[in-house]
Amino acid sequence: MAVKPERLRLFYALWPPAPVAESLARWGRAVAQDCGGRALAPEAIHLTLAFLGWLPPERLGAARAAGAAARGEVHALVLDRVRYQARSGIVWAECSQPPAALAALAASLTACLSGSGFGLEARPFAPHVTLVRRARPAAELAPLPPTDWPVQEFALVRSRLGSERAVYETLERFPLRLAR
């Protein structure tokens, strides 16, 4: 029987500073008490910019180069709205006014990845931060605590799927430039 070659599950994401991640995780745990499901741990909370999926290891260099070529500016995310999606059982946070710098970063990264031959999802970029999985409907979701997330970099991340939850490994960080 032939040995199946290793593949890497990769994506690009923004990772919040520890105090922001802890605040969001605490909110998620409170919501999970009301509507069941599993709140994400602080170290798992992120905003996905682009999902590459399962790739052979030899594509890692091209993924790193595409990340290095992407351009974006330092900005802040203000997460001020929560949503529940019944179909997937996910509760997430989002910005009622996503910053233009976030959309520009996602567009730049998408262009660099497409130019390097990566196939990406065709759906439009919808920035959100998943906080609870497998939730049941709740009568009402509690408001989020004030969440001001300074964004100074993005990361290329490897996801290792386990029986209970994914484990994330940051492979490379890409700094954003200061706004002019």
Side-chain angles (χ1 to χ4, degrees), residues 83-175:
R83 298 274 189 236
Y84 168 73
Q85 185 181 59
R87 183 174 44 94
S88 62
I90 291 177
V91 176
W92 73 82
E94 62 186 12
C95 306
S96 58
Q97 297 291 316
L102 176 61
L105 171 60
S108 175
L109 182 57
T110 296
C112 292
L113 289 166
S114 294
S116 296
F118 289 97
L120 301 173
E121 296 176 321
R123 63 183 172 186
F125 178 60
H128 66 280
V129 179
T130 300
L131 298 174
V132 181
R133 296 187 184 281
R134 291 186 237 131
R136 296 182 307 273
E140 187 175 334
L141 292 171
L144 275 174
T147 307
D148 189 7
W149 171 347
V151 178
Q152 299 176 337
E153 66 182 12
F154 67 101
L156 174 60
V157 180
R158 180 178 185 182
S159 173
R160 296 176 193 265
L161 301 179
S163 60
E164 281 296 308
R165 57 188 71 201
V167 175
Y168 302 119
E169 173 189 1
T170 299
L171 301 177
E172 190 158 346
R173 296 177 190 279
F174 304 96

Side-chain angles (χ1 to χ4, degrees), residues 42-62:
E43 62 273 7
I45 292 175
H46 65 277
L47 186 151
T48 301
L49 293 169
F51 181 71
L52 300 180
W54 293 97
L55 298 172
E58 54 270 15
R59 292 291 286 152
L60 182 57

Side-chain angles (χ1 to χ4, degrees), residues 6-27:
E6 179 185 15
R7 296 180 68 77
L8 307 173
R9 188 171 190 259
L10 302 176
F11 66 98
Y12 290 90
L14 304 178
W15 239 265
V20 172
E22 186 53 52
S23 175
L24 292 169
R26 196 170 27 258
W27 183 90

